[in-house]
Amino acid sequence: MQVAVDGPASSGKSTISKILASEFSLIYLDTGAMYRAGAYLKLKYKIIGEPFYELLRRTDFIFVGAGKPFVLKSPNRREDVSAAIRTPEVTAATSDVAADGEVRRILTAKQQKIAEGADIIMDGRDIGTVVLPNADIKFFLIASSEERARRRTIEWRVQGKNVIYEDVLKDISERDKHDISRENAPLKKAPDAKEIDTTLLTIDEVVEIMRVCIREIAG
Ligand code: CDP
């Protein structure tokens, strides 16, 4: 079974996908982490154009398990980048990298290869529209920008980062605009996706709605 979960930043995709992955014994693939890793590699090696694409092509993305280390393996080395890809610097650089058509071609191919014949739940921006257009079930999670900024602010603060709500709201709004308006695989609801507005719902409530839908198709 293939489940696609798309939506804007902090709409709850990854938290919910991890829970459903464990309940339905699905592989969980966080495609945002792959774009973040692309931005991380670009910042780290400061290369652009073909050398960067080549590095990306030759990099293996290894998810050790939901919520566990995310490792990059370039030909001769392994590197746990789970924390490094979540910094504000990498987050800010990710939108541009994700808008690059060649980066998307490379990462989409890798994502489709991982999904081949697998029972998988994948979250991102273009899963239902581009990566898994034939997914068995598609969800599109939304929430107001204010609620999403509130969630992200709490998340950063729990991690000890002293962020200001207004800055987080601005960052999220800019990222949304970028993701929606880009030419390549923009953030868009697939026509056959179920839209869920999570603004006033708890994680458990959203999971319950999705669980019922998945059970229906799982039989
Ligand atoms: O966790 P958060 O919602 O902040 O973002 P993410 O899922 O980690 O994705 C980070 C960025 O990667 C997004 O803002 C998009 O620009 C990009 N992305 C994408 O373009 N396509 C995907 N399938 C997943 C992420």
Side-chain angles (χ1 to χ4, degrees), residues 16-29:
I16 287 159
S17 298
K18 275 181 211 161
I19 296 172
L20 292 169
S22 123
E23 271 191 41
F24 289 92
S25 302
L26 306 170
I27 294 171
Y28 166 57
L29 186 67

Side-chain angles (χ1 to χ4, degrees), residues 5-14 28 30-36 85-86 90-91 94-99 104 108 111 123-127 131 148 152 155-156 171-172 175-176 178-179 182 184-187:
V5 184
D6 290 301
S10 286
S11 50
K13 303 180 302 291
S14 64
Y28 166 57
D30 174 357
T31 63
M34 296 173 74
Y35 286 94
R36 286 171 177 274
I85 60 169
R86 306 275 161 201
V90 170
T91 302
T94 303
S95 284
D96 275 345
V97 169
R104 297 207 77 86
T108 298
Q111 291 156 11
D123 83 342
R125 303 293 189 284
D126 61 339
I127 310 304
V131 183
R148 291 185 288 118
R152 189 48 56 97
E155 206 177 307
W156 286 119
D171 166 64
I172 279 189
R175 225 141 49 86
D176 283 354
H178 220 270
D179 288 346
R182 71 174 174 233
N184 298 306
L187 168 65

Side-chain angles (χ1 to χ4, degrees), residues 5 12 18 23 25 33 62 67 78 92 95 100 114 127 129-130 141 160-161 177 187 199 207 214 218:
V5 184
K18 275 181 211 161
E23 271 191 41
S25 302
I62 306 166
R78 270 172 97 99
S95 284
D100 180 328
I114 295 169
I127 310 304
T129 51
V130 176
L141 304 187
K161 294 187 184 98
K177 214 188 307 162
L187 168 65
T199 309
V207 168
I214 295 174

Side-chain angles (χ1 to χ4, degrees), residues 70-91:
F70 168 37
V71 178
L72 283 183
K73 187 163 157 282
S74 1
N76 299 315
R77 52 188 302 245
R78 270 172 97 99
E79 185 181 356
D80 176 357
V81 295
S82 344
I85 60 169
R86 306 275 161 201
T87 64
E89 196 192 7
V90 170
T91 302

Side-chain angles (χ1 to χ4, degrees), residues 12-193:
K13 303 180 302 291
S14 64
T15 309
I16 287 159
S17 298
K18 275 181 211 161
I19 296 172
L20 292 169
S22 123
E23 271 191 41
F24 289 92
S25 302
L26 306 170
I27 294 171
Y28 166 57
L29 186 67
D30 174 357
T31 63
M34 296 173 74
Y35 286 94
R36 286 171 177 274
Y40 168 78
L41 288 175
K42 196 164 180 180
L43 287 175
K44 180 166 175 178
Y45 293 103
K46 297 191 172 34
I47 45 176
I48 51 166
E50 199 42 44
F52 170 60
Y53 301 141
E54 190 48 34
L55 175 67
L56 203 58
R57 265 182 222 113
R58 293 193 307 152
T59 298
D60 281 333
F61 295 75
I62 306 166
F63 291 85
V64 180
K68 304 249 176 60
F70 168 37
V71 178
L72 283 183
K73 187 163 157 282
S74 1
N76 299 315
R77 52 188 302 245
R78 270 172 97 99
E79 185 181 356
D80 176 357
V81 295
S82 344
I85 60 169
R86 306 275 161 201
T87 64
E89 196 192 7
V90 170
T91 302
T94 303
S95 284
D96 275 345
V97 169
D100 180 328
E102 186 58 19
V103 168
R104 297 207 77 86
R105 266 188 290 282
I106 296 167
L107 295 187
T108 298
K110 287 181 188 283
Q111 291 156 11
Q112 289 172 333
K113 193 150 176 247
I114 295 169
E116 236 169 49
D119 288 319
I120 194 164
I121 182 164
M122 225 188 248
D123 83 342
R125 303 293 189 284
D126 61 339
I127 310 304
T129 51
V130 176
V131 183
L132 300 177
N134 299 319
D136 299 287
I137 186 156
K138 301 177 184 178
F139 296 98
F140 194 77
L141 304 187
I142 56 163
S144 72
S145 312
E146 290 75 15
E147 171 59 17
R148 291 185 288 118
R150 193 187 67 79
R151 293 174 190 169
R152 189 48 56 97
T153 304
I154 294 171
E155 206 177 307
W156 286 119
R157 287 190 182 154
V158 166
Q159 290 171 28
K161 294 187 184 98
N162 191 16
V163 291
I164 298 165
Y165 166 83
E166 284 72 20
D167 292 346
V168 177
L169 178 60
K170 192 164 159 257
D171 166 64
I172 279 189
S173 307
E174 271 166 18
R175 225 141 49 86
D176 283 354
K177 214 188 307 162
H178 220 270
D179 288 346
I180 290 166
S181 62
R182 71 174 174 233
E183 207 174 303
N184 298 306
L187 168 65
K188 197 167 68 184
K189 178 185 166 303
D192 51 346

